[in-house]
Amino acid sequence: MDLKNSRICGLALRFNYDNPEDFRSELRSIYEQEDLSREEIGMLLALDFAYSSTFDEAREFDSSGTDLKLLAEGVYSLSYFYARNSEDKIAYLVSKLAVDHIARECEREQEINLKILHMMTSFEMGFGEETLLLFEELMKLEKYVPVQKRFEYYNDLGLVSTQLRTGGNPLRFYEKAKELAGSPVRALMVQLNMIDYLYSKNMFKEALKLLDKTESCNVVSINGYRLMINLKILLQMSSLARATAVADQLESLIRSHGEWTDIAVSYIFLGHFYVKIGNISKAQNYLNLLKSLPDESLTNYIRGETLILEASIMQAKGEHFRALENSVGAFETLTLYSTTSPHLKDFVNNLFGSISAVFTQLIRELRLKDSYTALHTLRVLKICYEFGKELELEKIDLFNLSIGAMLHDYGKVDIPFDLLNKPSKLTEEEFTEIMNHPVYGERYLRDLNFPIAIRDIVRHHHERIDGKGYPDGLKGDEIHKLVQIVAVADVFDALTTDRPYRKAITKEKALEYLEEKGDQLISKGLLSRFIRFAQHKEISIQEKEITVLWRSIISELFK
């Protein structure tokens, strides 16, 4: 239903707890003063139901005499109204309240209606488990779906099946929806959904061939959807001449229709287009538009895609590590959505080449300065990565830990070779210079725009839990868990490898040392976990393994 009563629209868009008395007063006033249709009365009942249920307020209208069918119709219209106005969180809230509180009391037809609605609002919010649960329930209700709802039923099952890998074939649902479309516009919508499915399967030529057979229509949202699919397929095929023409059409549509349902998605792919053709300032403009959107209009999908676009811009500027950090965050957010896979995986593969080249160069520089430090760096990286996995760290923490471990001693490139390898005791002045290497390393990474979490590891890996470390004398909880992991791995590897001024000790002796002195180094709980880990792990690595190691790490992060 397209809601035409401006007072009901205005009240619906003031759905908050700022002034409940005013809200309820306006609810009653509209009911008494306006000449309302049945649908509009249903909307008022739905607003009353949703508001009272959300904010634990008494109902304005007597619920005992409420027409349940009318309330269910009103809830459906209200949730749909919020979705059309990019208020996805409230649309989800309203549909959830309906499924939790009234669906079971409704007739089967309305129960199905409300569950389809809630499946799609859950889907838009990125709530995968909830969406799949409703998908499975609705699959069992197929024979009860009323004729007038079957198009929506099959089309929505196709959308969910495409994105969430339900195990079914989305094309089966789309074919049924197409048979039931009943109008050219709805048939086009299903066709576009089928093309998006082919895109998700990397079948770009097939998708484009099918898309070329479709024609634009006068429904803005569907025409915009068609242009967006066209643009993202052409970007994957590197067909930039055609992509330029499509981008021009999409921008023209945005200028003539300032607000429509998928405008955020159009910003995303226009941003990627401008990155692809090297116009970074224009890409940044679209990123800024995305970031300026109100929080309530941002679904998990939009947030994740925004991170990918930002990462693409960072990569184009040479900020490879910040780009990779963004990509890890995006991947965690977008794992739910299969249609993001082609451009995310393509981007990550390109990014890996840049990251690998940077690390190879860093190791080369360290080796030229001090061959021990180069291999020590790789061993500490591998220890930290394996220990981080055993601790079941979040992917973004595992990412920061791995790169921080890799770069923890990079500041030593500014320390004289003779000083690093002096076999006799260091003078106080010499030791002071050695103690500067974390500061040198952090400063270098800051100049390269590395993420702050990685810079903290580099600067603080010689801090100690008892406050006797350097360079800042941090203690206790002031030292981040990731920093503590690198600190203990650094000490463990140093103890078990030969140095110019002393011979290595055995792993057993090193662990005895950590058991005796380790609580001055890191927290007791983390120390106990590390000792158990080190007792059953053997870590060895050669410099030539760096590319293989990093491919393994990045593959794990994006699994």
Side-chain angles (χ1 to χ4, degrees), residues 387 391 465 481 484-485 487-489 491-492 510-535:
F387 185 44
L391 292 174
I465 206 85
K481 180 179 180 178
Q484 293 184 47
I485 292 171
V488 72
V491 170
F492 178 74
L511 293 178
E512 286 177 13
Y513 172 84
L514 288 177
E515 285 180 345
E516 182 181 345
K517 303 283 189 181
D519 60 356
Q520 300 168 19
L521 174 65
I522 63 173
S523 68
K524 289 183 179 180
L526 195 58
L527 177 65
S528 298
R529 292 290 300 272
F530 182 82
I531 289 172
R532 290 199 300 273
F533 160 80
Q535 283 171 340

mmCIF file of all heavy atoms in Angstrom, residues 387 391 465 481 484-485 487-489 491-492 510-535:
data_model
loop_
_atom_site.group_PDB
_atom_site.id
_atom_site.type_symbol
_atom_site.label_atom_id
_atom_site.label_comp_id
_atom_site.label_asym_id
_atom_site.label_seq_id
_atom_site.Cartn_x
_atom_site.Cartn_y
_atom_site.Cartn_z
ATOM 1 N N PHE A 387 49.609 -19.128 17.492
ATOM 2 C CA PHE A 387 49.076 -18.942 18.842
ATOM 3 C C PHE A 387 47.757 -18.171 18.789
ATOM 4 O O PHE A 387 46.802 -18.489 19.509
ATOM 5 C CB PHE A 387 50.106 -18.212 19.707
ATOM 6 C CG PHE A 387 49.709 -18.065 21.158
ATOM 7 C CD1 PHE A 387 49.147 -19.121 21.861
ATOM 8 C CD2 PHE A 387 49.904 -16.860 21.823
ATOM 9 C CE1 PHE A 387 48.786 -18.989 23.201
ATOM 10 C CE2 PHE A 387 49.556 -16.712 23.161
ATOM 11 C CZ PHE A 387 48.991 -17.780 23.849
ATOM 12 N N LEU A 391 44.082 -19.256 20.196
ATOM 13 C CA LEU A 391 43.284 -18.421 21.100
ATOM 14 C C LEU A 391 41.924 -18.065 20.508
ATOM 15 O O LEU A 391 41.097 -17.451 21.180
ATOM 16 C CB LEU A 391 44.038 -17.124 21.423
ATOM 17 C CG LEU A 391 45.313 -17.247 22.258
ATOM 18 C CD1 LEU A 391 46.003 -15.884 22.360
ATOM 19 C CD2 LEU A 391 45.018 -17.791 23.648
ATOM 20 N N ILE A 465 54.592 -6.233 31.760
ATOM 21 C CA ILE A 465 53.410 -6.141 32.608
ATOM 22 C C ILE A 465 53.725 -5.508 33.960
ATOM 23 O O ILE A 465 52.865 -4.903 34.606
ATOM 24 C CB ILE A 465 52.771 -7.548 32.782
ATOM 25 C CG1 ILE A 465 51.266 -7.433 33.069
ATOM 26 C CG2 ILE A 465 53.468 -8.351 33.845
ATOM 27 C CD1 ILE A 465 50.417 -7.321 31.850
ATOM 28 N N LYS A 481 46.453 -6.947 24.688
ATOM 29 C CA LYS A 481 46.657 -8.398 24.591
ATOM 30 C C LYS A 481 47.512 -8.773 23.381
ATOM 31 O O LYS A 481 48.391 -9.647 23.467
ATOM 32 C CB LYS A 481 45.295 -9.090 24.510
ATOM 33 C CG LYS A 481 45.358 -10.609 24.405
ATOM 34 C CD LYS A 481 43.940 -11.170 24.350
ATOM 35 C CE LYS A 481 43.944 -12.689 24.246
ATOM 36 N NZ LYS A 481 42.561 -13.231 24.235
ATOM 37 N N GLN A 484 51.096 -8.131 24.081
ATOM 38 C CA GLN A 484 51.646 -9.139 24.995
ATOM 39 C C GLN A 484 51.990 -10.433 24.256
ATOM 40 O O GLN A 484 52.999 -11.079 24.556
ATOM 41 C CB GLN A 484 50.645 -9.428 26.116
ATOM 42 C CG GLN A 484 50.412 -8.252 27.060
ATOM 43 C CD GLN A 484 49.498 -8.621 28.215
ATOM 44 O OE1 GLN A 484 49.684 -9.661 28.852
ATOM 45 N NE2 GLN A 484 48.513 -7.784 28.488
ATOM 46 N N ILE A 485 51.163 -10.802 23.283
ATOM 47 C CA ILE A 485 51.446 -12.021 22.508
ATOM 48 C C ILE A 485 52.763 -11.875 21.753
ATOM 49 O O ILE A 485 53.609 -12.782 21.755
ATOM 50 C CB ILE A 485 50.285 -12.316 21.532
ATOM 51 C CG1 ILE A 485 49.025 -12.710 22.311
ATOM 52 C CG2 ILE A 485 50.668 -13.425 20.551
ATOM 53 C CD1 ILE A 485 47.772 -12.810 21.458
ATOM 54 N N ALA A 487 55.178 -9.851 22.501
ATOM 55 C CA ALA A 487 56.260 -9.732 23.488
ATOM 56 C C ALA A 487 56.757 -11.104 23.929
ATOM 57 O O ALA A 487 57.970 -11.356 23.977
ATOM 58 C CB ALA A 487 55.774 -8.928 24.690
ATOM 59 N N VAL A 488 55.846 -12.017 24.248
ATOM 60 C CA VAL A 488 56.274 -13.336 24.733
ATOM 61 C C VAL A 488 56.861 -14.167 23.591
ATOM 62 O O VAL A 488 57.837 -14.911 23.786
ATOM 63 C CB VAL A 488 55.117 -14.070 25.447
ATOM 64 C CG1 VAL A 488 54.046 -14.546 24.476
ATOM 65 C CG2 VAL A 488 55.653 -15.234 26.268
ATOM 66 N N ALA A 489 56.310 -14.039 22.383
ATOM 67 C CA ALA A 489 56.866 -14.761 21.231
ATOM 68 C C ALA A 489 58.272 -14.261 20.919
ATOM 69 O O ALA A 489 59.173 -15.047 20.587
ATOM 70 C CB ALA A 489 55.954 -14.584 20.016
ATOM 71 N N VAL A 491 60.463 -12.935 23.058
ATOM 72 C CA VAL A 491 61.388 -13.438 24.085
ATOM 73 C C VAL A 491 61.665 -14.919 23.873
ATOM 74 O O VAL A 491 62.820 -15.370 23.935
ATOM 75 C CB VAL A 491 60.810 -13.184 25.494
ATOM 76 C CG1 VAL A 491 61.629 -13.923 26.556
ATOM 77 C CG2 VAL A 491 60.777 -11.689 25.794
ATOM 78 N N PHE A 492 60.613 -15.694 23.620
ATOM 79 C CA PHE A 492 60.771 -17.133 23.443
ATOM 80 C C PHE A 492 61.708 -17.448 22.279
ATOM 81 O O PHE A 492 62.608 -18.286 22.387
ATOM 82 C CB PHE A 492 59.400 -17.779 23.217
ATOM 83 C CG PHE A 492 59.453 -19.256 22.964
ATOM 84 C CD1 PHE A 492 59.720 -20.140 23.999
ATOM 85 C CD2 PHE A 492 59.254 -19.771 21.688
ATOM 86 C CE1 PHE A 492 59.778 -21.515 23.775
ATOM 87 C CE2 PHE A 492 59.307 -21.133 21.449
ATOM 88 C CZ PHE A 492 59.569 -22.004 22.497
ATOM 89 N N ALA A 510 63.813 -22.728 28.027
ATOM 90 C CA ALA A 510 63.134 -21.457 27.760
ATOM 91 C C ALA A 510 61.764 -21.425 28.437
ATOM 92 O O ALA A 510 61.364 -20.403 29.016
ATOM 93 C CB ALA A 510 62.983 -21.246 26.256
ATOM 94 N N LEU A 511 61.047 -22.548 28.392
ATOM 95 C CA LEU A 511 59.729 -22.596 29.024
ATOM 96 C C LEU A 511 59.846 -22.548 30.544
ATOM 97 O O LEU A 511 58.998 -21.956 31.224
ATOM 98 C CB LEU A 511 58.975 -23.851 28.577
ATOM 99 C CG LEU A 511 58.571 -23.874 27.092
ATOM 100 C CD1 LEU A 511 57.878 -25.178 26.737
ATOM 101 C CD2 LEU A 511 57.670 -22.692 26.749
ATOM 102 N N GLU A 512 60.909 -23.161 31.082
ATOM 103 C CA GLU A 512 61.152 -23.054 32.529
ATOM 104 C C GLU A 512 61.395 -21.595 32.914
ATOM 105 O O GLU A 512 60.900 -21.119 33.945
ATOM 106 C CB GLU A 512 62.364 -23.905 32.924
ATOM 107 C CG GLU A 512 62.096 -25.400 32.931
ATOM 108 C CD GLU A 512 63.355 -26.202 33.251
ATOM 109 O OE1 GLU A 512 64.359 -25.587 33.713
ATOM 110 O OE2 GLU A 512 63.353 -27.432 33.034
ATOM 111 N N TYR A 513 62.158 -20.902 32.080
ATOM 112 C CA TYR A 513 62.427 -19.481 32.336
ATOM 113 C C TYR A 513 61.116 -18.682 32.328
ATOM 114 O O TYR A 513 60.879 -17.843 33.207
ATOM 115 C CB TYR A 513 63.387 -18.932 31.275
ATOM 116 C CG TYR A 513 63.578 -17.433 31.354
ATOM 117 C CD1 TYR A 513 64.507 -16.877 32.240
ATOM 118 C CD2 TYR A 513 62.816 -16.575 30.560
ATOM 119 C CE1 TYR A 513 64.671 -15.497 32.319
ATOM 120 C CE2 TYR A 513 62.969 -15.201 30.633
ATOM 121 C CZ TYR A 513 63.899 -14.668 31.513
ATOM 122 O OH TYR A 513 64.051 -13.304 31.610
ATOM 123 N N LEU A 514 60.258 -18.963 31.342
ATOM 124 C CA LEU A 514 58.987 -18.244 31.256
ATOM 125 C C LEU A 514 58.083 -18.561 32.447
ATOM 126 O O LEU A 514 57.377 -17.685 32.957
ATOM 127 C CB LEU A 514 58.271 -18.579 29.951
ATOM 128 C CG LEU A 514 58.882 -17.985 28.669
ATOM 129 C CD1 LEU A 514 58.121 -18.467 27.437
ATOM 130 C CD2 LEU A 514 58.877 -16.458 28.717
ATOM 131 N N GLU A 515 58.102 -19.815 32.895
ATOM 132 C CA GLU A 515 57.298 -20.169 34.066
ATOM 133 C C GLU A 515 57.769 -19.416 35.304
ATOM 134 O O GLU A 515 56.972 -19.023 36.157
ATOM 135 C CB GLU A 515 57.366 -21.678 34.310
ATOM 136 C CG GLU A 515 56.523 -22.489 33.326
ATOM 137 C CD GLU A 515 56.604 -23.984 33.598
ATOM 138 O OE1 GLU A 515 57.517 -24.400 34.339
ATOM 139 O OE2 GLU A 515 55.761 -24.725 33.070
ATOM 140 N N GLU A 516 59.087 -19.195 35.377
ATOM 141 C CA GLU A 516 59.663 -18.532 36.553
ATOM 142 C C GLU A 516 59.544 -17.012 36.470
ATOM 143 O O GLU A 516 59.188 -16.346 37.443
ATOM 144 C CB GLU A 516 61.138 -18.924 36.685
ATOM 145 C CG GLU A 516 61.818 -18.321 37.914
ATOM 146 C CD GLU A 516 63.288 -18.702 38.006
ATOM 147 O OE1 GLU A 516 63.710 -19.641 37.305
ATOM 148 O OE2 GLU A 516 64.011 -18.045 38.775
ATOM 149 N N LYS A 517 59.809 -16.446 35.289
ATOM 150 C CA LYS A 517 59.892 -14.983 35.153
ATOM 151 C C LYS A 517 58.780 -14.376 34.297
ATOM 152 O O LYS A 517 58.645 -13.154 34.225
ATOM 153 C CB LYS A 517 61.233 -14.601 34.499
ATOM 154 C CG LYS A 517 62.471 -15.108 35.225
ATOM 155 C CD LYS A 517 62.764 -14.277 36.455
ATOM 156 C CE LYS A 517 64.124 -14.659 37.047
ATOM 157 N NZ LYS A 517 64.429 -13.882 38.273
ATOM 158 N N GLY A 518 57.997 -15.228 33.639
ATOM 159 C CA GLY A 518 57.062 -14.742 32.626
ATOM 160 C C GLY A 518 55.981 -13.827 33.134
ATOM 161 O O GLY A 518 55.464 -12.989 32.383
ATOM 162 N N ASP A 519 55.599 -13.949 34.425
ATOM 163 C CA ASP A 519 54.528 -13.087 34.921
ATOM 164 C C ASP A 519 54.985 -11.644 35.100
ATOM 165 O O ASP A 519 54.182 -10.765 35.411
ATOM 166 C CB ASP A 519 53.934 -13.638 36.217
ATOM 167 C CG ASP A 519 54.949 -13.766 37.336
ATOM 168 O OD1 ASP A 519 56.146 -13.493 37.089
ATOM 169 O OD2 ASP A 519 54.552 -14.144 38.454
ATOM 170 N N GLN A 520 56.292 -11.399 34.905
ATOM 171 C CA GLN A 520 56.781 -10.019 34.842
ATOM 172 C C GLN A 520 56.647 -9.469 33.419
ATOM 173 O O GLN A 520 56.746 -8.267 33.192
ATOM 174 C CB GLN A 520 58.259 -9.957 35.261
ATOM 175 C CG GLN A 520 58.523 -10.460 36.673
ATOM 176 C CD GLN A 520 60.015 -10.657 36.934
ATOM 177 O OE1 GLN A 520 60.855 -10.106 36.228
ATOM 178 N NE2 GLN A 520 60.333 -11.449 37.953
ATOM 179 N N LEU A 521 56.426 -10.391 32.491
ATOM 180 C CA LEU A 521 56.403 -10.064 31.062
ATOM 181 C C LEU A 521 54.982 -9.828 30.552
ATOM 182 O O LEU A 521 54.683 -8.795 29.947
ATOM 183 C CB LEU A 521 57.067 -11.209 30.293
ATOM 184 C CG LEU A 521 57.051 -11.198 28.770
ATOM 185 C CD1 LEU A 521 57.846 -10.020 28.244
ATOM 186 C CD2 LEU A 521 57.624 -12.505 28.229
ATOM 187 N N ILE A 522 54.090 -10.802 30.786
ATOM 188 C CA ILE A 522 52.702 -10.711 30.316
ATOM 189 C C ILE A 522 51.770 -11.226 31.411
ATOM 190 O O ILE A 522 52.226 -11.728 32.441
ATOM 191 C CB ILE A 522 52.486 -11.512 29.011
ATOM 192 C CG1 ILE A 522 52.733 -13.011 29.242
ATOM 193 C CG2 ILE A 522 53.373 -10.982 27.895
ATOM 194 C CD1 ILE A 522 52.372 -13.883 28.050
ATOM 195 N N SER A 523 50.470 -11.143 31.177
ATOM 196 C CA SER A 523 49.499 -11.577 32.184
ATOM 197 C C SER A 523 49.611 -13.083 32.428
ATOM 198 O O SER A 523 49.979 -13.848 31.532
ATOM 199 C CB SER A 523 48.080 -11.235 31.729
ATOM 200 O OG SER A 523 47.709 -12.019 30.614
ATOM 201 N N LYS A 524 49.271 -13.506 33.638
ATOM 202 C CA LYS A 524 49.431 -14.914 34.020
ATOM 203 C C LYS A 524 48.579 -15.842 33.159
ATOM 204 O O LYS A 524 49.032 -16.917 32.750
ATOM 205 C CB LYS A 524 49.071 -15.095 35.499
ATOM 206 C CG LYS A 524 50.090 -14.488 36.455
ATOM 207 C CD LYS A 524 49.710 -14.758 37.908
ATOM 208 C CE LYS A 524 50.757 -14.174 38.859
ATOM 209 N NZ LYS A 524 50.412 -14.410 40.283
ATOM 210 N N GLY A 525 47.337 -15.432 32.891
ATOM 211 C CA GLY A 525 46.455 -16.283 32.089
ATOM 212 C C GLY A 525 46.994 -16.501 30.690
ATOM 213 O O GLY A 525 47.011 -17.628 30.181
ATOM 214 N N LEU A 526 47.454 -15.435 30.061
ATOM 215 C CA LEU A 526 47.995 -15.531 28.707
ATOM 216 C C LEU A 526 49.304 -16.317 28.709
ATOM 217 O O LEU A 526 49.575 -17.104 27.794
ATOM 218 C CB LEU A 526 48.219 -14.125 28.143
ATOM 219 C CG LEU A 526 48.450 -14.009 26.632
ATOM 220 C CD1 LEU A 526 47.277 -14.591 25.853
ATOM 221 C CD2 LEU A 526 48.668 -12.552 26.243
ATOM 222 N N LEU A 527 50.100 -16.140 29.757
ATOM 223 C CA LEU A 527 51.367 -16.867 29.876
ATOM 224 C C LEU A 527 51.119 -18.375 29.945
ATOM 225 O O LEU A 527 51.793 -19.162 29.262
ATOM 226 C CB LEU A 527 52.120 -16.394 31.116
ATOM 227 C CG LEU A 527 53.438 -17.118 31.420
ATOM 228 C CD1 LEU A 527 54.461 -16.843 30.325
ATOM 229 C CD2 LEU A 527 53.982 -16.691 32.784
ATOM 230 N N SER A 528 50.148 -18.792 30.753
ATOM 231 C CA SER A 528 49.840 -20.224 30.880
ATOM 232 C C SER A 528 49.416 -20.806 29.539
ATOM 233 O O SER A 528 49.834 -21.912 29.166
ATOM 234 C CB SER A 528 48.726 -20.437 31.908
ATOM 235 O OG SER A 528 49.138 -19.996 33.182
ATOM 236 N N ARG A 529 48.573 -20.046 28.801
ATOM 237 C CA ARG A 529 48.133 -20.520 27.484
ATOM 238 C C ARG A 529 49.320 -20.642 26.532
ATOM 239 O O ARG A 529 49.408 -21.591 25.745
ATOM 240 C CB ARG A 529 47.091 -19.552 26.893
ATOM 241 C CG ARG A 529 45.755 -19.516 27.600
ATOM 242 C CD ARG A 529 44.951 -20.799 27.399
ATOM 243 N NE ARG A 529 44.652 -21.084 26.010
ATOM 244 C CZ ARG A 529 43.576 -20.624 25.362
ATOM 245 N NH1 ARG A 529 42.709 -19.844 25.997
ATOM 246 N NH2 ARG A 529 43.355 -20.952 24.108
ATOM 247 N N PHE A 530 50.247 -19.674 26.582
ATOM 248 C CA PHE A 530 51.390 -19.709 25.669
ATOM 249 C C PHE A 530 52.301 -20.892 25.981
ATOM 250 O O PHE A 530 52.786 -21.571 25.064
ATOM 251 C CB PHE A 530 52.191 -18.406 25.740
ATOM 252 C CG PHE A 530 53.353 -18.391 24.783
ATOM 253 C CD1 PHE A 530 53.164 -18.071 23.449
ATOM 254 C CD2 PHE A 530 54.631 -18.732 25.203
ATOM 255 C CE1 PHE A 530 54.220 -18.089 22.552
ATOM 256 C CE2 PHE A 530 55.697 -18.756 24.321
ATOM 257 C CZ PHE A 530 55.493 -18.427 22.981
ATOM 258 N N ILE A 531 52.535 -21.149 27.255
ATOM 259 C CA ILE A 531 53.420 -22.267 27.631
ATOM 260 C C ILE A 531 52.828 -23.587 27.148
ATOM 261 O O ILE A 531 53.542 -24.433 26.583
ATOM 262 C CB ILE A 531 53.664 -22.270 29.155
ATOM 263 C CG1 ILE A 531 54.556 -21.075 29.536
ATOM 264 C CG2 ILE A 531 54.305 -23.578 29.604
ATOM 265 C CD1 ILE A 531 54.710 -20.858 31.030
ATOM 266 N N ARG A 532 51.518 -23.780 27.334
ATOM 267 C CA ARG A 532 50.877 -25.011 26.846
ATOM 268 C C ARG A 532 50.976 -25.107 25.327
ATOM 269 O O ARG A 532 51.226 -26.180 24.775
ATOM 270 C CB ARG A 532 49.404 -25.051 27.280
ATOM 271 C CG ARG A 532 49.205 -25.263 28.769
ATOM 272 C CD ARG A 532 47.795 -25.756 29.075
ATOM 273 N NE ARG A 532 46.767 -24.820 28.646
ATOM 274 C CZ ARG A 532 46.321 -23.807 29.383
ATOM 275 N NH1 ARG A 532 46.833 -23.583 30.595
ATOM 276 N NH2 ARG A 532 45.373 -23.009 28.926
ATOM 277 N N PHE A 533 50.795 -23.971 24.658
ATOM 278 C CA PHE A 533 50.899 -23.929 23.193
ATOM 279 C C PHE A 533 52.314 -24.306 22.746
ATOM 280 O O PHE A 533 52.499 -25.147 21.858
ATOM 281 C CB PHE A 533 50.536 -22.522 22.714
ATOM 282 C CG PHE A 533 51.038 -22.175 21.340
ATOM 283 C CD1 PHE A 533 50.376 -22.611 20.206
ATOM 284 C CD2 PHE A 533 52.189 -21.401 21.178
ATOM 285 C CE1 PHE A 533 50.842 -22.286 18.934
ATOM 286 C CE2 PHE A 533 52.661 -21.071 19.917
ATOM 287 C CZ PHE A 533 51.985 -21.518 18.789
ATOM 288 N N ALA A 534 53.334 -23.685 23.356
ATOM 289 C CA ALA A 534 54.724 -23.890 22.932
ATOM 290 C C ALA A 534 55.206 -25.306 23.212
ATOM 291 O O ALA A 534 56.092 -25.811 22.516
ATOM 292 C CB ALA A 534 55.629 -22.875 23.624
ATOM 293 N N GLN A 535 54.620 -25.954 24.211
ATOM 294 C CA GLN A 535 55.047 -27.315 24.547
ATOM 295 C C GLN A 535 54.775 -28.302 23.413
ATOM 296 O O GLN A 535 55.508 -29.274 23.247
ATOM 297 C CB GLN A 535 54.337 -27.777 25.827
ATOM 298 C CG GLN A 535 54.932 -27.165 27.093
ATOM 299 C CD GLN A 535 54.092 -27.439 28.330
ATOM 300 O OE1 GLN A 535 52.903 -27.766 28.225
ATOM 301 N NE2 GLN A 535 54.691 -27.299 29.502
#
